[in-house]
Amino acid sequence: GTNTIIVGLGTATEDDVDASISPIVSGYGIVGDSTGNLYFSDSDPTCIVRRVTAITLKVSTYAGARNDCGFLGDGGLAASSKLNKPRGLAILSNVLYIADFTNNRIRAVDLTTTIIRTFAGTGNPVTSLQTNVAATSADFNGPSSIASNAPTGGLFAEDAVACVVRRILVATGIVNTAAGNGVCAAPPASGSFVGPSNSIDAPDVVCSSALGLFYIFKNNAYGLYQQITMSSRIAGGTSAVLYADNIPLTSIRIDRAGGCFLDSSSNLYYSDYVSNRIWRVSIGTSSVRIYAGYVAGVSFPKQLAPFGRITSIWENTLGDMYLTESTQHRVSMISRSTGMATVVAGTGYSAFVADGVLATLAPMASPRTVITDSVGNLYIAEYSGTRIRRVDKDSVLVSTVV
């Protein structure tokens, strides 16, 4: 696909201007409505939610007051309200839900009338976990990631302090826990299941569909979990730093995520902000794919490849160029015949795991220099790893020379 910037360039802060010339200070949540309008939160210190109108691509402030953070406006127009570091957004039944982070609330804006109200939270942090009570009487700890579930008419919200995922039924306004019991503990292992009353760790992001609730934790390497009536890990869970396209779900390391969502074909996408990639998991399959980002198995035209800091270059006898990307902990090659850039060693993660594995599945620690010998074997000097690694030309396995 092709990436196009529609909002975030320029300095025009006023309303009803072209989105492309309007700045974003700290964009956080984003969601679209059924008519194609786009809503995004500009969190800190701007404290507003803005809307890009689909037909005109004009942007305007939809809720909150620019650079005036606080709590104000329930029962009035959203444009006259105050928010405090709004984060996640969700839409359900023509209502926009806003995770009003520092206000410890979830606010709701009727998309027809633009009237804002508090949907959940009292403004106070959680002192004891409350379940089966009115959401407006329940305390919340800085809600950040929220997700709507149309089939059940519910809204999910993570609570990283209490280590729970909360579920609020829109029709009744009653809040319960979907996962976790308020006691932080390691999540369940792959193949085992826990109910919503068992302990989990601090959730980072949540997303939802007819396939259930999905969540990823703040702590690295725990994995992606699915909950229907019980929770279980469906991807990740390994501490091995293998980052490559089209590998088994259980071989991928899943660290903290910036967000996730499911499309109409049951594909789950999540942004891994440790590895700077977007992954796609087709629910019910056994492998994970790279949707966006640069990693082994994905090639870019050399003019567009997102290289890190290049600390050395080397050309082989065929005219192919090798380069070390010290900050991205990998080695890339630009093919002379095709002009395409491809990762040939490293995973983008700084570590040492083992020798005797494919070079593209072997982490490198700040590679500084790369050369080839007369038969095409690759030699890489790791600055932070204090090793010289060799990549065999034929087997593409990596070994330590010294």
Side-chain angles (χ1 to χ4, degrees), residues 214-373:
F214 298 84
Y215 51 94
I216 298 172
F217 294 101
K218 283 186 178 295
N219 283 330
N220 293 341
Y222 273 158
L224 167 67
Y225 284 73
Q226 179 182 20
Q227 176 168 308
I228 302 175
T229 56
M230 308 282 275
S231 287
S232 181
R233 186 172 65 221
I234 62 170
T238 178
S239 59
V241 285
L242 305 182
Y243 290 129
D245 186 36
N246 198 25
I247 61 174
L249 289 173
T250 52
S251 297
I252 184 67
R253 176 185 172 114
I254 296 178
D255 290 327
R256 294 190 62 180
C260 65
F261 78 95
L262 290 102
D263 66 16
S264 58
S265 299
S266 301
N267 296 308
L268 184 144
Y269 301 81
Y270 73 90
S271 59
D272 186 333
Y273 64 60
V274 173
S275 67
N276 297 317
R277 300 177 180 104
I278 297 175
W279 299 89
R280 180 177 66 194
V281 178
S282 296
I283 305 303
T285 63
S286 60
S287 62
V288 61
R289 302 298 306 264
I290 288 288
Y291 183 74
Y294 183 48
V295 71
V298 178
S299 297
F300 275 84
K302 61 185 180 182
Q303 299 92 339
L304 302 177
F307 296 130
R309 180 180 298 160
I310 299 172
T311 54
S312 74
I313 57 175
W314 180 267
E315 187 175 82
N316 67 12
T317 56
L318 300 175
D320 301 322
M321 180 180 289
Y322 294 86
L323 52 98
T324 51
E325 301 177 63
S326 179
T327 54
Q328 297 301 322
H329 311 292
R330 65 193 176 207
V331 178
S332 290
M333 182 195 75
I334 300 174
S335 169
R336 180 179 181 178
S337 60
T338 66
M340 301 296 285
T342 307
V343 175
V344 295
T347 65
Y349 195 93
S350 176
F352 174 80
V353 175
D355 285 327
V357 299
L358 291 174
T360 52
L361 298 181
M364 302 278 170
S366 301
R368 177 64 179 81
T369 307
V370 59
I371 63 170
T372 58
D373 62 20

Side-chain angles (χ1 to χ4, degrees), residues 71 74 97 103-108 116-124 130-140 166-170 172-176:
F71 175 73
D74 274 1
Y97 295 93
N103 281 327
N104 296 315
R105 290 176 165 91
I106 298 174
R107 312 286 287 278
I116 191 171
R117 61 187 172 91
T118 293
F119 174 69
T122 63
N124 300 314
Q130 302 146 302
T131 63
N132 201 32
V133 298
T136 50
S137 300
D139 298 331
F140 281 72
R166 315 287 288 274
R167 177 176 55 213
I168 309 164
L169 291 178
V170 172
T172 63
I174 299 297
V175 62
N176 281 293

Side-chain angles (χ1 to χ4, degrees), residues 161-195:
V161 176
C163 293
V164 294
V165 179
R166 315 287 288 274
R167 177 176 55 213
I168 309 164
L169 291 178
V170 172
T172 63
I174 299 297
V175 62
N176 281 293
T177 58
N181 60 11
V183 178
C184 300
S190 180
S192 63
F193 296 85
V194 299

